[in-house]
Each structure stands twice: as structure tokens, then as C-alpha cells.
């Protein structure tokens, strides 16, 4: 049984913080692989700031191709919009009925709002959640503290955001060190986020 951690995001663009967290999860937990699930449209984000789905997927592919245990996934591209995690999980179970055990990877900030997710009880009943630390406001709901399906992983705290990268790049700042080299090259050639 291959244990796969699903790391959902718009990855607009993917940056070194995403890679550090995913690599830490796969090397320092019981996960065998981490799949970067590129989300076409998050229910919590507006579409207007997003690059094309396939362009973001291409950047994730470029960022992960040197890592055997990190994989890009476009599983949500053909699912109804907006994407809800619970629906994606059902779809994955149907597509991979044997040999895979799926778990979620999320930041502590997302855990604080998990109670607002569609069918979060169903997710918690059937899936493990690996949580990496984030500096954020708010509190973790009492029902999630010490929950047998929620596993805190002491990954490095990465305070890099795709939003910061886009804004800094637009005003001409050098953000090259914050991106995997292949992603920077692709982004620069395509003139993204200018």
C-alpha cells in the first residue's frame, strides 16, 4: 500500500517553500509520496489572479521532476468547479481503487478553518491529515486537538507566499532565489506576473 500525501493548492506560482514542506513531509513522516494537486479554482480564492491551469501545472511539473517522491497532479482539472476536497478524494478513490492510501497535507492555518470545509466530518472519518506549522491568527477548534487522524509534523516554518512573489515580481524585485530554477526560467520566458 503506497501512502500518498495530497498537497492541494493553486501553486500560483509554486515556490521553494512548497518544495521544502513537501519534501520534509515525504522524508520525515510515513508518507511514500506527495502529490501536488493543482487546483483550478479554490472556493476561497478569486479566479482573476490565477494563471491558466495548465501553465501552473507545467510549473509544478518543472519544480518536481528532479524529485522521485514528489509528483504533479491535475486530477481536479476535469472535476466540477469550484473544487471541494471531499469530491476530489472520492474521485481519487474511484480512479485508484487498489494500492493507494490517500492523506491530506495542510498548514496549521487551514486546520483552524477546517470546520468550515464541505463535509469535513467525512474527510476526518476516512483520511489522515498531516499538518505543518504556520504563523497565523485564530485557534484550532477543540474537536481537532489530539484527534487520532490529525498528525502534526514539525516541518520548517516557511513564510513565503505566492502572493508576495507575484507582487514583488510585478514591481521589478528579484524573486529568483524564492523559486526552483526551472520555475524561474519558465516564468521569466513566459513573462508571467509582470
Amino acid at each position: 500500500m503506497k501512502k500518498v500525501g495530497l498537497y492541494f493548492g493553486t501553486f500560483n506560482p509554486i515556490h521553494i517553500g512548497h518544495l521544502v514542506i513537501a519534501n520534509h513531509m515525504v522524508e520525515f513522516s510515513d508518507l511514500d509520496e506527495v502529490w501536488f494537486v493543482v487546483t483550478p479554482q479554490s472556493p476561497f480564492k478569486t479566479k482573476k489572479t490565477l494563471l491558466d491551469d495548465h501553465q501552473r501545472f507545467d510549473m509544478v511539473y518543472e519544480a518536481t521532476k528532479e524529485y522521485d517522491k514528489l509528483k504533479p497532479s491535475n486530477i481536479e482539472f476535469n472535476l466540477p468547479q469550484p473544487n471541494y476536497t471531499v469530491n476530489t478524494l472520492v474521485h481519487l478513490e474511484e480512479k485508484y481503487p487498489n494500492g493507494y492510501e490517500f492523506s491530506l497535507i495542510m498548514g496549521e492555518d487551514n486546520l483552524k478553518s477546517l470546520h468550515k470545509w464541505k463535509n469535513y466530518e467525512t474527510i476526518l472519518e476516512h483520511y489522515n491529515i498531516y499538518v505543518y506549522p504556520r504563523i497565523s491568527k485564530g485557534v484550532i477548534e477543540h474537536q481537532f486537538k489530539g484527534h487520532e487522524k490529525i498528525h502534526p509534523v514539525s516541518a520548517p516554518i516557511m513564510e513565503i507566499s505566492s502572493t508576495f512573489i507575484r507582487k514583488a515580481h510585478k514591481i521589478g524585485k528579484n524573486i529568483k532565489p524564492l523559486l526552483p530554477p526551472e520555475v524561474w526560467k519558465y516564468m521569466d520566458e513566459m513573462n508571467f506576473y509582470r
Side-chain angles (χ1 to χ4, degrees), residues 81-143:
Q81 306 287 323
N83 297 94
Y84 291 99
T85 303
V86 68
N87 299 342
T88 304
L89 290 166
V90 168
H91 184 72
L92 279 166
E93 296 290 352
E94 290 168 356
K95 186 167 177 159
Y96 302 98
N98 301 309
Y100 289 88
E101 179 186 309
F102 294 105
S103 300
L104 295 179
I105 293 173
M106 69 173 61
E108 197 176 292
D109 51 333
N110 282 322
L111 181 61
K112 290 173 183 175
S113 62
L114 183 63
H115 62 285
K116 296 177 184 172
W117 287 29
K118 181 179 177 183
N119 296 15
Y120 78 88
E121 304 95 336
T122 305
I123 293 172
L124 263 181
E125 192 179 328
H126 299 286
Y127 300 94
N128 287 302
I129 299 177
Y130 292 79
V131 180
Y132 58 89
R134 291 292 297 265
I135 297 169
S136 62
K137 294 185 170 85
V139 294
I140 296 171
E141 294 277 309
H142 178 72
Q143 61 189 324

Side-chain angles (χ1 to χ4, degrees), residues 39-64:
T39 300
Q41 180 188 355
S42 160
F44 303 109
K45 292 189 181 179
T46 56
K47 192 84 167 167
K48 67 176 196 269
T49 59
L50 287 184
L51 279 185
D52 174 79
D53 299 343
H54 297 283
Q55 292 169 331
R56 288 180 292 113
F57 177 82
D58 288 346
M59 287 194 287
V60 172
Y61 170 79
E62 290 296 330
T64 58

Side-chain angles (χ1 to χ4, degrees), residues 1 3 24 36 66 68 74 85 99 113 118 148 171 184:
M1 187 68 76
K3 291 189 167 189
H24 193 89
F36 286 86
E66 300 288 319
D68 293 341
N74 61 3
T85 303
S113 62
K118 181 179 177 183
E148 63 176 16
I171 59 171
W184 164 254

